Amino acid sequence: MSENPDTDTKVLEHPDKKWYAVHVLSSHERKVKSQLENEADIAGLSDKLFQILIPAEQVTEMRAGKKRTRNKVFFPGYMLVEMVLDKETRHLILNTPGITSFVGPKNEPQALRQEEVDRILGRVEESEEGEVLDIPFKIGDPIMVIDGPFTDFSGFVEEINEEKQKIKVRVRVFGRW
């Protein structure tokens, strides 16, 4: 029995598959993605839809003194689909609930350039490697200390150290900075 290494683990490349951007209802991207996957399975078109991507990253932010991690979508209201565009797949995309149109001139599907896709996929991979800290401050922002020995003192952000996840604040104590 001979083994063919090309068909064991690799997905066969289709010459006509391309990436397309699709406009969806904002903040319903995940719901629309699962709906599209289900519709493709029912219609028997799963072999023409290769990937459905919602570019996002994990962002850690401080809210009310607590760390919270959330999933932040890069392009709210958009989804990327790698597929073979034909009459059936176009009909499937446009008739899936939550999808409003293709992105392109006069709502006509226009394939994304490979450089654009590589840039977006690279950004997604970067965000998977390490968590991103969302610091809601800029240097010079006025702040009010809410915890610790300087509670209720006001000051200004003087320095932001993203690596150590710390900010340095200049606080006025006894009339002096």
Side-chain angles (χ1 to χ4, degrees):
M1 188 163 131
S2 65
E3 292 184 24
N4 186 352
D6 293 334
T7 58
D8 285 347
T9 57
K10 293 182 180 178
V11 176
L12 295 175
E13 291 293 320
H14 196 287
D16 296 329
K17 77 175 181 178
K18 294 181 181 167
W19 284 95
Y20 296 90
V22 178
H23 189 263
V24 300
L25 296 176
S26 188
S27 73
H28 292 352
E29 293 90 358
R30 285 179 192 75
K31 183 178 175 184
V32 173
K33 177 183 176 184
S34 65
Q35 184 72 27
L36 179 59
E37 289 168 343
N38 291 338
E39 295 285 331
D41 287 340
I42 292 169
L45 296 174
S46 296
D47 58 331
K48 292 183 180 181
L49 294 177
F50 299 98
Q51 291 184 60
I52 302 171
L53 180 66
I54 303 167
E57 65 184 350
Q58 293 293 333
V59 176
T60 303
E61 56 189 8
M62 296 294 287
R63 295 278 182 198
K66 296 182 179 161
K67 260 189 185 180
R68 290 192 332 189
T69 302
R70 67 180 178 93
N71 200 358
K72 181 181 176 188
V73 177
F74 292 148
F75 310 113
Y78 294 94
M79 188 167 65
L80 302 179
V81 182
E82 185 181 31
M83 65 182 203
V84 174
L85 183 67
D86 60 14
K87 191 176 180 181
E88 296 170 326
T89 55
R90 181 181 174 137
H91 180 75
L92 173 73
I93 296 286
L94 293 176
N95 289 307
T96 299
I99 296 179
T100 56
S101 64
F102 278 97
V103 174
K106 298 183 182 177
N107 295 333
E108 289 297 315
Q110 183 172 5
L112 297 173
R113 293 190 313 266
Q114 191 58 45
E115 306 88 57
E116 294 173 317
V117 174
D118 291 342
R119 183 176 48 84
I120 292 168
L121 293 176
R123 188 170 168 194
V124 169
E125 287 175 11
E126 280 179 19
S127 70
E128 288 175 355
E129 290 173 6
E131 71 179 37
V132 177
L133 181 65
D134 186 28
I135 300 175
F137 302 108
K138 295 184 295 260
I139 294 176
D141 281 354
I143 59 103
M144 177 69 73
V145 179
I146 59 170
D147 191 26
F150 297 103
T151 302
D152 295 331
F153 281 70
S154 61
F156 294 94
V157 176
E158 193 172 79
E159 183 180 318
I160 298 173
N161 188 337
E162 291 185 22
E163 291 176 14
K164 293 183 180 179
Q165 300 181 0
K166 293 186 177 192
I167 63 172
K168 186 186 282 186
V169 177
R170 179 178 292 240
V171 180
R172 177 173 233 140
V173 180
F174 303 121
R176 300 180 72 186
W177 289 101

